[in-house]
Amino acid sequence: MHPSDLLFALTTRRLVAIVRGQDADAALDTVLTLVRRGIDLVEVSLSGTDALRVIEKARAVLGPDALLGAGTVLTARDARRAADAGAAFTVTPGVTEAVAESRALGLPVLAGALTPTEVASAVAQGATAVKLFPVGPGAVEWLRALRGPFPQVPFVPVGGIDALMARAVLAAGALAVGVGSPLVGNAADGDPTGLHDRIAMFRSLGVAAS
């Protein structure tokens, strides 16, 4: 995936679903359910059980063009293993060595940053977009503050964002949002209760592209 492809996907999808869980089979089922219900930009966190295997299996089922990435990529080794597993992009929680390694591997990267210094560092290291993390309840205000000195940086706020906050953050100028448990719930741990309803809610609020 070229960086411009990830930017296009973020612009058109507006929602990155974050899947992490302790049941690899359930995590895989969750990824496939999200994609089949139209939430097709998905990050599988390496903090989950057998996450690389989940990525490999999802890639095998979904094919080479699936918008499937690896999250919680901390080290250069993580980036290499994610690429080998079939990740099309990486997501880091901070500005780590994984950013430069991902770019060296030809992978676009959503680099985690929160402060102005971190944002500037992420951009300097070649981040495709900046994962504004962790934003919490002050997401809208923090995004607006950072867009002043960084008007051209594509921001993707992540952390504690539910459907209503996602809509507000997008209205404030975020390129997209990253959402984990408010969308996925416990599905990746083996309890899919309510997953379809939550997907429908995010789409009905205009957060995820229809």
Side-chain angles (χ1 to χ4, degrees):
M1 176 182 281
H2 190 272
S4 63
D5 296 326
L6 179 59
L7 285 173
F8 179 76
L10 290 167
T11 301
T12 55
R13 272 67 173 187
R14 303 203 297 174
L15 173 64
V16 183
I18 302 169
V19 176
R20 65 169 58 84
Q22 302 309 307
D23 183 327
D25 292 333
L28 175 60
D29 287 343
T30 301
V31 172
L32 299 180
T33 297
L34 288 163
V35 172
R36 288 164 179 164
R37 293 293 302 274
I39 310 294
D40 63 351
L41 183 55
V42 181
E43 164 196 340
V44 178
S45 171
L46 297 189
S47 63
T49 299
D50 290 335
L52 292 169
R53 181 168 66 88
V54 173
I55 295 171
E56 288 176 350
K57 289 191 171 185
R59 176 63 66 199
V61 172
L62 298 172
D65 297 327
L67 302 171
L68 182 66
T72 321
V73 178
L74 291 167
T75 65
R77 180 171 181 265
D78 286 341
R80 292 191 294 269
R81 294 173 73 202
D84 290 342
F89 62 93
T90 63
V91 184
T92 74
V95 185
T96 71
E97 64 183 18
V99 177
E101 184 66 17
S102 295
R103 297 304 301 123
L105 292 166
L107 293 178
V109 55
L110 256 170
L114 185 62
T115 69
T117 299
E118 291 169 352
V119 172
S121 179
V123 172
Q125 292 194 34
T128 306
V130 171
K131 168 187 170 181
L132 199 56
F133 173 82
V135 286
V140 171
E141 291 76 12
W142 194 241
L143 173 64
R144 286 175 175 159
L146 286 174
R147 288 190 72 216
F150 301 105
Q152 303 303 318
V153 172
F155 286 110
V156 181
V158 179
I161 294 179
D162 60 16
L164 290 175
M165 184 184 293
R167 186 167 62 172
V169 169
L170 290 169
L175 184 67
V177 293
V179 181
S181 57
L183 171 63
V184 175
N186 294 320
D189 291 321
D191 179 9
T193 305
L195 177 59
H196 290 272
D197 291 340
R198 289 189 297 273
I199 292 172
M201 177 181 64
F202 271 81
R203 296 186 70 179
S204 71
L205 288 173
V207 175
S210 300

